[in-house]
Amino acid sequence: MKVAVLGAGAIGAYVGAALHRAGVDVHLIARGAHLAALRRDGVRVLSPRGDFTARPPATDDPGEVGEADFVFLGLKANSYASCGKLLAPLLGPDTAIVAAQNGIPWWYFHGLAGHPLQGRRIEAVDPGGAVSEVLEVRRAIGCVVYCSTEIEEPGVIRHLEGTRFSIGEPDGSISARCQDLAAAMVAGGLKCPVEPRLRDDIWIKLMGNVAFNPLSALTGATMAEICEHDDTRAVVAAMMAETVAIARAAGAQPSVSIEKRIDGARRVGHHKTSMLQDLEAGKALETDAIIGAVVELASLTGVAAPTLRNVYAAVDLLALNRARRIS
């Protein structure tokens, strides 16, 4: 098995290191000081489960890697449409793309035989088909990440908690390629269930992301601070309730209560969400996949979502202003 990790940041490098430890032929694609450290010292993982170092080859040129069996996509969803030149050298006829993204994926309504929205494009995450043109749906393996990591310094990955990477085919089948990837992930010390109803997992994780990410970016607050403030906790609960209603209207069945989801976030503590980290780092905000697509699905399914719409309006303006400054 040959795996290319395109975007070997905190999650990508951690997965690459675990697969390399399992004997998989792994190639990391990164850039800058992080790449220099990976080439010099390998991936150094600091984890409560035990520290380790892995030394897979690392490059900034996918042409040096060539065709892979799997491409683990560690990029943010808002860069998918522009990653075609990086991705092309890695793709063979049967290469699968494992997209470890937050929020609603571009393939969401594909593979749903008999669903009234089968094949429907979600403009928020696939505007004009720009993403599906680069990431062919037939190659897609969904991935929901229940793992928290951060780059402590170039080449050093701090693993905070969680080792579960749920994967699944858009059509719900238990495919050989998913089983092969899951076996390799497990051999590397990770959990990797193959889920026939991966969309349920997508919505369970999204219940938290859709609320905490935008609210943290708008307020500068950590997850614990949002939960411990009565009024913002109420906003979170309203956003989660609307999200569950949209999920069910779209045919999914997220199986966790709102209170349990909020309490789980509170226990994470004073953690800055990825959107707040991006804001503070001066990066573009990943608003479309995390909340914009949910608002679009509310319109498609006829679900009223006033809290989601209001929060999205505010964070979308924040993202637009940030994008203007970056450009």
Side-chain angles (χ1 to χ4, degrees):
M1 180 186 294
K2 182 177 179 180
V3 177
V5 180
L6 180 56
I11 286 291
Y14 177 65
V15 169
L19 288 172
H20 185 266
R21 188 166 59 165
V24 175
D25 179 17
V26 176
H27 298 260
L28 306 181
I29 301 166
R31 61 184 181 180
H34 186 52
L35 171 60
L38 294 174
R39 284 172 162 167
R40 183 181 64 247
D41 302 318
V43 185
R44 291 181 288 161
V45 176
L46 308 179
S47 171
R49 294 164 51 86
D51 301 347
F52 70 95
T53 298
R55 299 180 180 276
T59 181
D60 58 359
D61 181 6
E64 294 179 0
V65 178
E67 295 180 3
D69 298 304
F70 296 91
V71 175
F72 186 91
L73 204 57
L75 305 172
K76 291 291 182 73
N78 52 15
S79 65
Y80 284 0
S82 61
C83 75
K85 290 183 179 180
L86 291 172
L87 187 63
L90 307 173
L91 299 181
D94 299 313
T95 303
I97 297 172
V98 184
Q101 71 167 94
N102 286 323
I104 299 293
W106 80 100
W107 51 261
Y108 189 86
F109 285 123
H110 295 273
L112 288 174
H115 193 284
L117 294 173
Q118 153 65 19
R120 177 68 180 250
R121 186 172 67 236
I122 302 172
E123 288 296 324
V125 291
D126 190 13
V131 173
S132 54
E133 183 177 348
V134 174
L135 307 177
E136 296 175 81
V137 172
R138 70 177 182 88
R139 298 184 184 274
I141 292 176
C143 180
V144 181
V145 178
Y146 296 95
C147 173
S148 180
T149 59
E150 60 187 21
I151 299 178
E152 185 159 294
E153 60 182 85
V156 179
I157 306 301
R158 173 71 65 178
H159 172 227
L160 302 173
E161 62 176 356
T163 59
R164 181 179 165 195
F165 294 77
S166 298
I167 63 173
E169 296 283 356
D171 67 1
S173 63
I174 306 298
S175 65
R177 65 181 188 174
C178 279
Q179 291 176 315
D180 289 345
L181 178 61
M185 297 276 275
V186 170
L190 306 176
K191 297 177 182 177
C192 190
V194 181
E195 301 287 359
R197 291 184 58 88
L198 188 70
R199 289 171 181 83
D200 293 349
D201 281 53
I202 288 171
W203 285 101
I204 289 171
K205 185 171 184 185
L206 188 54
M207 285 172 66
N209 283 337
V210 77
F212 289 106
N213 270 278
L215 287 176
S216 68
L218 291 168
T219 63
T222 65
M223 292 173 69
E225 289 168 340
I226 292 170
C227 292
E228 291 164 3
H229 185 274
D230 289 344
D231 290 337
T232 52
R233 185 184 176 103
V235 173
V236 167
M239 294 176 76
M240 287 188 178
E242 292 172 7
T243 300
V244 171
I246 296 163
R248 289 175 176 163
Q253 294 294 331
S255 58
V256 63
S257 72
I258 290 170
E259 281 304 310
K260 184 176 180 179
R261 194 70 181 84
I262 293 175
D263 286 343
R266 180 184 55 80
R267 288 195 299 272
V268 171
H270 292 288
H271 171 71
K272 293 182 179 181
T273 68
S274 60
M275 194 176 290
L276 178 55
Q277 291 179 48
D278 286 344
L279 182 71
E280 293 179 345
K283 298 179 181 178
L285 304 185
E286 197 178 16
T287 55
D288 289 334
I290 289 176
I291 186 168
V294 181
V295 170
E296 184 175 339
L297 264 63
S299 297
L300 288 174
T301 56
V303 175
T307 315
L308 286 168
R309 291 182 187 279
N310 289 338
V311 172
Y312 176 56
V315 80
D316 186 49
L317 180 57
L318 176 65
L320 288 171
N321 284 335
R322 172 51 53 94
R324 291 189 190 105
R325 294 191 190 102
I326 292 172
S327 60

